[in-house]
Amino acid sequence: MAGASAMVLLLSSCAFAENTGVAGGDPNKLTFWLSGDTAQGGGFAKMAAEYTKETGVEVEVVDIPYDDLVTKMRNAAMAGELPALARVPGIDPIWSGALMDLGGVAKDHHIKKDLLAANEKGVVNALPTDLTAVGLFVNKSLFKKAHVDYPRDSGGWTWDQFVAAVKKVQKRTDAKYGMVMDASSHRLRSFMYQFGGNGFREGKDGEFKGDADSVKALKRFKELNDGSFSPKSVWLSNDDPNAMFKSGRVVAYYSGVWQIADFAKNIKNFDWDSALMPHQPVRTTNLGTNYLVGFDGPAAKKSERFVNWLYSKKNYRKLCETSGFLPVEDGVQVRYAARQRDFDLYNRIIDEAGPLGPAQIKDSLRQAYAGHVTEGDPLHDETVKYLGGSQSLDATVGAIEKQLNEQLGDG
Amino acid sequence: MKLQESQEIREARDIREGAEPRRQAAARSVLPTLALWILALLFAFPVLWFVLSAFKPGSELFSTPLSILPEHWTVQGFVDAWNRIDFSRYFGNTLVVATLSTALTVVASAGTGYALAKYPARWLKVFFVCVLATTMLPTEVILTPSFTVIRNLGLYNTLTGVIVPSIMTATGIFMFRQFFLTVPDELLEAARIDGAGEARIFLTIMMPLARPIAITLAIFSFQWRWNDYIWPLIVLGDPKQFTLQVALRGLVGAENIDWPTLLAASVISIVPLLVMFLVFQRYVMSADLDAGLKD
């Protein structure tokens, strides 16, 4: 159904592209839509208040439920009621035509080049606001109890060594499961990268293809989801891996940096730690980000001034410190309120991630600029069928390739 | 002698007939009562767990073994929720939306249902089928066209924009139509003979008769509108206009959920409905009873 409405919206997007624009409203007020700010420490709201104090220009931050931000933006675009600014998880062809040029800001403030992508006219419309990275959390207490070590600041382990170590911990303690991984294609891609695969990326010939290493990783992933090392319920029936890890009976959790703040506050019954992720043989991660976009209209100049102010080194650092963000600007030293060591580890992982780290971010930006969107998430959805046993490995790979080529290919 | 005997027999029979049935009745009611209690407890258990969980610190929510009672009682979740969400504003908005749309729904449904039941015109029957057909379409499907209409009417970002599209419901019309069909036409004719106008017949004779249906629909409608989420989210752009459900949903982040705050906020959000239930308990109970009856 969501797919159907997306289609309808897509079909009508051409008609709406002309109408999109920002709300007339109060010219002295910039409306800024985003999601999850209050949950992440309210950094944007705080910076907006400071900006108002400094300049007298009011920036109204509106926190919108994450799952429905896309729907809301689409409808606002149709109503010609887009906000002045928004922080979004991705660019939508429905309103991408109404975006303002932020290339100047990107250049002035040394935003990591890997994270920027220009549209077909060579204009940078979207600035990353913060970085996330896939990472590994371990139940330190369980490892200690089992007298097993894990690499943290140096060394490393392959996936084989990791699985062996975790199984040892499982055997020597009352841990119920070895590892849980978020049911997300973003995490699965990172897993494939670590096996040397490219996670079903578009090849030079414009074809989406699962390379041998990605397929091997997918097979391995099913072997890990055997109901004893990893619970099947997380991928098959949306069991909450975060809650499972917090129960203290799971040895390791393959998730990402955004969990640190939650764990620091809400885990008290055992010690946890961030560890180096396994490599087999590639040591990398998969980055994620949100984008700041501004919309053309009478408020565009004012919006640009605010964005420029926000990305200046001093203010951007303050934003990162309040919200616990990993910075997207080179040379910004952030002091976090808690668990600085964990954040330092993530910053190191990002620096060492190589070209695959930001690959997914850049790919999806490019696809969005080209007007391509996926219906659902082929990599995730087909993997679930494979894990559930209703589809063979070959059929799964074929289905993922077919859907990606149909939806994102140039043909 | 014979008389005495018969008296004894009679006495014995009296005792048997008086005491036995009472004992039997008690025995017979034990099982159903027990079953009902178990059922009630099963229903109450998740709610109880939910309310008690709101008093747990975040670190206890997922720790094993799970416990029903919080080990360390805390109201921090409530404090955070209260500070983060402007409850009085969102309660106010939700109350305005729920009350107004409920009142209008009842009036509109009663009128339409009455017309469809009591005025014999062929096109009305076709119209009724069309009304019923709208129940086949889930809200999500007509979201975009409805939104376009609201936008063109200039109702975007207003509470009126939330209220207007929810007034007409096929369910409400259907409920009233089915009820008015059971009201004998003779009543109508008698009133007409006595010289009552159509409006008067509807307002002073038919509406009082349909009171149970009106109350049932009002209760349902109020619940629907109180819990409405996707439509208010789409229509409202200004956070000052948000309804409670939209504001609450904002606590669910992209990758994380702030459970302690969300639990506490949810507990707070059900309080007004609970109060409403306690005040109108009598009507709610009888409305649910009436809902199962044909007349």
Side-chain angles (χ1 to χ4, degrees):
Chain A
M1 232 247 331
S5 56
M7 280 304 292
V8 172
L9 285 166
L10 256 187
L11 288 173
S12 43
S13 66
C14 306
F16 288 121
E18 300 298 313
N19 301 335
T20 45
V22 289
D26 181 356
N28 268 324
K29 192 167 86 175
L30 296 174
T31 315
F32 184 4
W33 285 3
L34 45 63
S35 187
D37 186 45
T38 14
Q40 286 169 316
F44 285 101
K46 184 177 158 190
M47 298 316 290
E50 264 183 42
Y51 186 71
T52 309
K53 214 158 98 190
E54 265 181 44
T55 62
V57 177
E58 193 190 338
V59 181
E60 184 186 42
V61 173
V62 186
D63 206 325
I64 288 160
Y66 180 81
D67 285 345
D68 305 292
L69 184 60
V70 174
T71 320
K72 178 127 178 104
M73 291 282 292
R74 285 179 170 177
N75 280 293
M78 287 190 275
E81 292 277 357
L82 281 166
L85 295 156
R87 176 177 177 249
V88 288
I91 304 298
D92 197 323
I94 304 250
W95 42 257
S96 62
L99 292 175
M100 60 192 238
D101 183 356
L102 291 170
V105 183
K107 211 189 276 162
D108 289 350
H109 298 297
H110 307 288
I111 293 177
K112 288 183 207 279
K113 290 209 175 58
D114 278 352
L115 303 172
L116 297 169
N119 66 11
E120 72 281 5
K121 290 182 199 137
V123 178
V124 173
N125 288 139
L127 302 178
T129 56
D130 57 296
L131 270 186
T132 62
V134 174
L136 183 72
F137 295 97
V138 291
N139 185 320
K140 196 174 168 182
S141 304
L142 288 176
F143 270 91
K144 211 168 154 189
K145 203 168 154 195
H147 301 289
V148 177
D149 283 333
Y150 59 89
R152 193 193 190 289
D153 299 314
S154 59
W157 44 10
T158 63
W159 271 96
D160 297 332
Q161 288 165 339
F162 164 74
V163 171
V166 168
K167 282 191 171 160
K168 212 184 268 177
V169 176
Q170 260 184 296
K171 204 181 262 175
R172 293 181 188 172
T173 61
D174 63 345
K176 193 159 180 220
Y177 295 115
M179 182 189 84
V180 282
M181 183 202 279
D182 294 327
S184 136
S185 59
H186 184 259
R187 258 61 94 206
L188 186 60
R189 275 210 173 84
S190 161
F191 181 81
M192 287 173 168
Y193 295 166
Q194 288 161 351
F195 278 81
N198 70 18
F200 289 79
R201 274 188 92 188
E202 191 176 4
K204 287 209 174 72
D205 55 355
E207 282 276 306
F208 287 84
K209 210 167 154 26
D211 59 300
D213 288 320
S214 296
V215 175
K216 200 173 75 192
L218 195 57
K219 187 164 171 262
R220 187 66 192 277
F221 186 56
K222 177 161 185 183
E223 286 160 13
L224 295 180
N225 274 276
D226 59 356
S228 118
F229 185 78
S230 284
K232 287 186 174 174
S233 57
V234 171
W235 275 71
L236 295 186
S237 53
N238 286 328
D239 214 344
D240 182 1
N242 167 293
M244 287 175 114
F245 183 71
K246 280 187 199 162
S247 76
R249 299 192 61 198
V250 174
V251 184
Y253 180 20
Y254 195 85
S255 183
V257 64
W258 53 88
Q259 304 286 4
I260 294 178
D262 179 35
F263 288 175
K265 199 173 140 203
N266 292 323
I267 294 184
K268 297 273 190 282
N269 50 341
F270 62 91
D271 288 330
W272 60 276
D273 202 355
S274 303
L276 282 174
M277 279 186 289
H279 52 273
Q280 194 135 342
V282 183
R283 179 178 288 193
T284 187
T285 181
N286 193 7
L287 301 181
T289 188
N290 283 289
Y291 299 100
L292 185 79
V293 292
F295 292 95
D296 272 328
K301 275 264 161 324
K302 276 204 172 81
S303 302
E304 194 179 346
R305 273 198 289 274
F306 170 70
V307 177
N308 223 332
W309 177 89
L310 186 68
Y311 277 85
S312 71
K313 205 154 263 182
K314 186 181 108 206
N315 295 326
Y316 185 69
R317 202 186 72 202
K318 212 182 272 180
L319 172 70
C320 290
E321 286 176 352
T322 316
S323 292
F325 288 159
L326 298 175
V328 294
E329 287 182 26
D330 286 322
V332 172
Q333 292 297 323
V334 184
R335 280 177 192 286
Y336 297 97
R339 308 286 301 200
Q340 180 82 29
R341 266 186 83 203
D342 296 83
F343 284 105
D344 288 347
L345 179 66
Y346 273 95
N347 278 322
R348 209 185 100 201
I349 292 173
I350 290 170
D351 288 341
E352 293 169 1
L356 273 176
Q360 198 188 338
I361 295 182
K362 291 190 83 163
D363 286 354
S364 50
L365 257 188
R366 238 193 5 256
Q367 286 149 7
Y369 281 138
H372 299 316
V373 281
T374 48
E375 281 176 49
D377 183 348
L379 184 56
H380 167 270
D381 300 348
E382 297 301 323
T383 301
V384 169
K385 289 184 203 164
Y386 172 50
L387 295 180
S390 64
Q391 188 166 274
S392 71
L393 180 62
D394 289 344
T396 307
V397 172
I400 297 171
E401 286 172 347
K402 183 167 168 267
Q403 288 175 40
L404 287 176
N405 279 315
E406 275 172 8
Q407 294 169 18
L408 301 175
D410 297 322
Chain B
M1 184 70 182
K2 210 175 177 199
L3 192 81
Q4 225 178 1
E5 224 171 70
S6 69
Q7 188 138 10
E8 272 173 11
I9 290 168
R10 218 176 19 240
E11 271 176 17
R13 201 181 54 219
D14 280 355
I15 290 168
R16 248 201 334 269
E17 282 182 356
E20 200 96 312
R22 230 177 289 143
R23 221 178 302 141
Q24 265 179 3
R28 242 182 295 147
S29 70
V30 165
L31 224 65
T33 312
L34 198 71
L36 282 176
W37 268 106
I38 291 172
L39 210 61
L41 284 177
L42 280 177
F43 269 97
F45 182 68
V47 181
L48 190 71
W49 195 336
F50 154 68
V51 173
L52 286 171
S53 293
F55 290 96
K56 288 179 185 172
S59 57
E60 266 181 51
L61 284 173
F62 301 107
S63 63
T64 44
L66 287 170
S67 65
I68 295 179
L69 284 178
E71 209 169 300
H72 307 278
W73 290 79
T74 173
V75 289
Q76 193 55 43
F78 289 91
V79 175
D80 289 345
W82 195 263
N83 289 336
R84 256 171 56 183
I85 294 179
D86 187 353
F87 275 102
S88 54
R89 178 185 293 279
Y90 298 133
F91 272 137
N93 290 344
T94 317
L95 202 65
V96 167
V97 170
T99 320
L100 280 179
S101 46
T102 298
L104 293 169
T105 299
V106 172
V107 172
S109 303
T112 320
Y114 177 69
L116 290 173
K118 291 294 174 214
Y119 293 105
R122 188 160 297 156
W123 71 271
L124 270 178
K125 290 207 170 66
V126 178
F127 182 68
F128 178 60
V129 173
C130 293
V131 169
L132 272 190
T134 62
T135 55
M136 310 291 170
L137 292 171
T139 323
E140 287 83 354
V141 171
I142 51 168
L143 205 59
T144 309
S146 314
F147 179 74
T148 313
V149 172
I150 289 298
R151 175 197 58 185
N152 291 346
L153 288 174
L155 296 178
Y156 177 76
N157 212 1
T158 59
L159 289 183
T160 320
V162 180
I163 295 167
V164 171
S166 53
I167 293 173
M168 295 309 286
T169 76
T171 319
I173 295 171
F174 186 70
M175 275 165 71
F176 273 103
R177 177 185 176 270
Q178 295 311 95
F179 171 78
F180 284 125
L181 281 181
T182 65
V183 177
D185 284 348
E186 288 81 2
L187 196 64
L188 202 73
E189 280 150 21
R192 279 184 187 144
I193 290 166
D194 285 346
E198 293 300 308
R200 195 167 155 213
I201 295 174
F202 174 66
L203 290 173
T204 59
I205 300 175
M206 292 300 167
M207 273 318 277
L209 282 176
R211 210 176 122 221
I213 304 295
I215 292 173
T216 311
L217 181 64
I219 287 160
F220 281 137
S221 167
F222 194 86
Q223 281 174 353
W224 293 331
R225 301 289 85 88
W226 187 270
N227 294 324
D228 226 357
Y229 166 69
I230 193 75
W231 182 249
L233 176 86
I234 300 296
V235 173
L236 303 172
D238 179 358
K240 291 188 188 73
Q241 307 269 14
F242 277 0
T243 57
L244 192 61
Q245 302 304 333
V246 178
L248 277 189
R249 189 62 200 258
L251 291 174
V252 180
E255 309 278 0
N256 276 98
I257 299 171
D258 185 351
W259 284 110
T261 315
L262 183 62
L263 280 168
S266 308
V267 170
I268 298 176
S269 81
I270 57 172
V271 170
L273 265 193
L274 193 70
V275 171
M276 195 94 66
F277 172 79
L278 292 177
V279 174
F280 295 104
Q281 194 172 13
R282 196 163 59 88
Y283 299 104
V284 178
M285 302 305 256
S286 65
D288 284 345
L289 274 181
D290 290 333
L293 298 177
K294 265 190 153 181
D295 46 10

